[in-house]
Amino acid sequence: MEKFKRLKKEGNDFVKMGEYEEAANKYSECMKLNTEECTVYTNRALCYLKLYKYEEAKQDCDHVLQIEDSNIKAFYRRALAYKGLQVRKKNIAGI
């Protein structure tokens, strides 16, 4: 559990510095240790949104909502992911 907390803190620190790829990697390592901790999924979803990886963000939020069906951050970040996917689809259609 101590390693999990350390990795999560490192991920949070990377987010504060705007290093979203590194933060996502730390949160992914956390998930290997605990798949039920929702905050690492919503945190990684935030990173994916910042990296324009909307499908990955949506998947993380979907996972959280299967565990906690009223998680506000997961709902909000999934909505942002859907919005990003819609914008991308419109841009591709316009090409």
Side-chain angles (χ1 to χ4, degrees):
M1 198 61 179
E2 203 57 43
K3 184 177 181 183
F4 176 87
K5 288 180 184 176
R6 182 179 50 79
L7 289 169
K8 184 178 173 189
K9 184 189 178 317
E10 289 173 9
N12 293 344
D13 291 342
F14 277 125
V15 167
K16 290 174 189 168
M17 294 185 292
E19 302 289 338
Y20 300 110
E21 193 72 50
E22 289 84 354
N25 291 336
K26 293 294 179 182
Y27 296 135
S28 295
E29 288 181 52
C30 286
M31 292 168 193
K32 293 175 186 172
L33 301 172
N34 182 351
T35 59
E36 299 298 311
E37 178 65 45
C38 292
T39 56
V40 291
Y41 285 91
T42 56
N43 289 359
R44 189 172 74 169
L46 171 68
C47 296
Y48 285 152
L49 289 169
K50 296 288 188 180
L51 295 167
Y52 308 106
K53 295 181 176 182
Y54 301 116
E55 186 60 41
E56 292 88 338
K58 185 185 95 51
Q59 289 172 3
D60 277 355
C61 293
D62 287 343
H63 178 81
V64 170
L65 292 168
Q66 288 177 350
I67 299 168
E68 292 180 9
D69 63 359
S70 61
N71 187 299
I72 300 299
K73 280 187 181 178
F75 273 119
Y76 179 68
R77 291 181 180 159
R78 184 171 69 174
L80 293 175
Y82 275 124
K83 184 177 178 184
L85 288 168
Q86 288 300 104
V87 168
R88 182 177 289 160
K89 188 188 290 185
K90 286 180 184 175
N91 288 342
I92 290 171
I95 292 175

